[in-house]
Amino acid sequence: MKLKVLNQSGQESGDIELGFSIIEEEAKGNQAVHDVVTAYRAAQRSGTACTKTRAEVKAHKKKPWRQKGTGRARAGTVASPIWRGGGIVFGPRPRDYSKKVNKATRKLALRKALSERIKAGETIVVDNIQFDAPKTKSAVEFLKSIGAQGSVVIVTDGINENLVLSTGNLPDVDVTTADQFNTYEALRYDTL
């Protein structure tokens, strides 16, 4: 499949052949996309929630009152989970939420996501993006000239510092490199 290539001012400057085959079947790759996005979002979780057990609560070891004769229920410590300010029984502990996803599954998921975006016409290919200086105005004019709408992710082959600085103040625009681009980003933005 061929995609038309635009220059920085929005005029057509040729076309380019895709480096992978488009996934035509409707169902193929849906589970892979789900697995990869779930794993990506799980890996973003910090997993630092922590509560104290009865052993970790700062409390004295003294028995609150004697065992018998008061008419109250027996109590051995103020750190008991039943008491206010006591320990938490099955509270959260620090843990790692990340999930393992095979390399082949990750590749299939990215191919499926890109195939869907290309078929929907939500991708724009630009031959070269070059700004003389980091200016937000230049980035806004560039996005308007190529017809990018909504939230936009710009995928470049290398780090383009002027582009990164120019889009820094635009809330719905992100810049990433091709080796960092993933399935989640392919699905999250309105325009690639």
Side-chain angles (χ1 to χ4, degrees), residues 106 110 155-159 176-183 185:
R106 284 199 308 268
L110 184 57
V155 183
T156 60
D157 57 348
I159 296 168
T176 186
T177 56
D179 58 339
Q180 296 292 312
F181 187 64
N182 58 51
T183 307
E185 289 175 331

Side-chain angles (χ1 to χ4, degrees), residues 15-188:
D15 54 353
I16 189 170
E17 185 70 36
L18 277 181
F20 62 93
S21 58
I22 294 281
I23 298 175
E24 296 295 343
E25 301 103 78
E26 190 64 37
K28 184 179 179 185
N30 287 349
Q31 186 61 46
V33 170
H34 177 270
D35 292 346
V36 168
V37 170
T38 303
Y40 177 85
R41 296 199 60 205
Q44 301 304 303
R45 296 181 70 176
S46 61
T48 55
C50 185
T51 55
K52 291 183 178 181
T53 64
R54 65 185 294 162
E56 296 164 334
V57 169
K58 186 171 188 213
H60 56 79
K61 301 285 188 215
K62 185 176 178 290
K63 196 169 166 64
W65 50 77
R66 61 182 205 223
Q67 183 84 348
K68 300 174 87 59
T70 60
R72 301 183 73 179
R74 57 195 176 184
T77 173
V78 294
S80 167
I82 298 168
W83 285 42
R84 183 178 179 280
I88 305 296
V89 183
F90 295 117
R93 305 299 289 174
R95 70 190 189 103
D96 182 18
Y97 284 96
S98 62
K99 301 173 194 285
K100 183 186 178 296
V101 180
N102 295 335
K103 193 186 290 186
T105 307
R106 284 199 308 268
K107 283 182 178 179
L108 174 63
L110 184 57
R111 240 179 74 213
K112 173 68 175 178
L114 286 174
S115 297
E116 293 298 319
R117 300 310 296 272
I118 290 168
K119 283 194 275 188
E122 295 164 342
T123 55
I124 301 167
V125 181
V126 180
D127 59 0
N128 189 20
I129 305 170
Q130 205 64 41
F131 294 140
D132 298 331
K135 286 186 176 288
T136 305
K137 187 177 178 182
S138 307
V140 170
E141 288 171 359
F142 162 68
L143 292 171
K144 202 175 283 184
S145 69
I146 63 170
Q149 297 171 345
S151 58
V152 179
V153 62
I154 300 171
V155 183
T156 60
D157 57 348
I159 296 168
N160 186 339
E161 197 154 326
N162 282 345
L163 176 63
V164 172
L165 293 172
S166 297
T167 58
N169 285 337
L170 301 173
D172 292 337
V173 179
D174 275 338
V175 178
T176 186
T177 56
D179 58 339
Q180 296 292 312
F181 187 64
N182 58 51
T183 307
Y184 180 74
E185 289 175 331
L187 298 171
R188 180 175 170 224

